[in-house]
Amino acid sequence: MCRAGAAGGGPVRHPSARLALGLLIFVLIAWGVGELWISLAGSTDLEAVRSVARERSPGLTTAAKAITWAGSAVTLAPLALVCCAALVWVGLRREALAVAVSLAGAILIYDVAKLLVARPRPPLKHLQLVHGSSFPSGHAAQAGAFWCSLVLALGAAGAPRLAAGLFAAIALVLVLAVAGSRVYLGVHYPADVVAGVLLGAGWAAFVSRSLRDPEVR
């Protein structure tokens, strides 16, 4: 009877179906929020970016260009492979899958959302070469998804509370630093990076929850 009930619950009960539906929902949320913010924000975001740009200095620029790599796919993709391999090695296959799906899904979400929202980049000097539209920030979304997924994986691995808390604090600072660097470099508005972080971290949490199923192990 339990089996029949599970089968009768529909395909959304299966992790892969939940993840597919979740991807669609996250894209729609990003699209809706992006359109709503652009229609309401006016020049608020632009003034914020210009204010940050006025505080630029050689030292801060060097730091921002270095920090922003912590949210780049060039950095995170190979790092994710190493982390996933390590998690599989210690028997945490579900956590390894969650890290991989979190990063890959975040990339897909922000790529589609960028096409739908099509927000132009800030009209000021960019300190880094960029392509595509502005909302949401891909670096912020990737950083939020990857580092959040690692925090959740560490917790699932049974790490000591102090160590897990320390890593979570470091991850949070790193994600916020990446988000701030994108605004400083002039390639995103503040709303872009806020949306990116929330989308990425929210997606990672959703993936972790969706994969809490014995059949995934």
Side-chain angles (χ1 to χ4, degrees):
M1 185 173 181
C2 291
R3 291 182 180 178
V12 177
R13 288 183 177 273
H14 194 277
S16 60
R18 291 199 298 269
L19 291 173
L21 181 59
L23 274 172
L24 177 60
I25 292 173
F26 270 79
V27 167
L28 292 176
I29 290 174
W31 183 18
V33 170
E35 295 291 353
L36 179 62
W37 177 254
I38 292 172
S39 67
L40 297 177
S43 61
T44 304
D45 261 2
L46 180 56
E47 289 304 319
V49 174
R50 285 174 174 168
S51 296
V52 172
R54 286 193 288 268
E55 303 300 321
R56 287 172 175 172
S57 68
L60 287 175
T61 299
T62 299
K65 287 183 176 179
I67 292 171
T68 203
W69 283 100
S72 169
V74 175
T75 301
L76 296 182
L79 184 57
L81 287 175
V82 172
C83 292
C84 289
L87 289 169
V88 170
W89 178 262
V90 298
L92 297 173
R93 295 184 179 181
R94 182 175 65 180
E95 285 69 31
L97 180 61
V99 171
V101 173
S102 294
L103 180 57
I107 293 173
L108 179 59
I109 290 167
Y110 79 70
D111 271 341
V112 176
K114 279 178 179 287
L115 290 174
L116 294 172
V117 179
R119 186 184 199 185
R121 298 277 181 173
L124 69 161
K125 183 179 180 181
H126 298 165
L127 300 185
Q128 189 179 53
L129 181 64
V130 289
H131 303 283
S133 57
S134 192
F135 186 97
S137 165
H139 278 65
Q142 290 168 168
F146 176 73
W147 296 108
C148 181
S149 69
L150 279 188
V151 169
L152 294 172
L154 192 62
R161 185 171 298 180
L162 179 61
L166 179 60
F167 183 77
I170 293 173
L172 176 61
V173 170
L174 193 55
V175 170
L176 294 178
V178 169
S181 74
R182 304 308 288 169
V183 177
Y184 178 90
L185 294 172
V187 296
H188 282 292
Y189 295 97
D192 301 339
V193 298
V194 171
V197 169
L198 293 178
L199 283 170
W203 170 248
F206 175 78
V207 169
S208 177
R209 184 176 181 83
S210 296
L211 293 181
R212 288 176 189 171
D213 193 315
E215 66 182 81
V216 180
R217 286 199 176 274

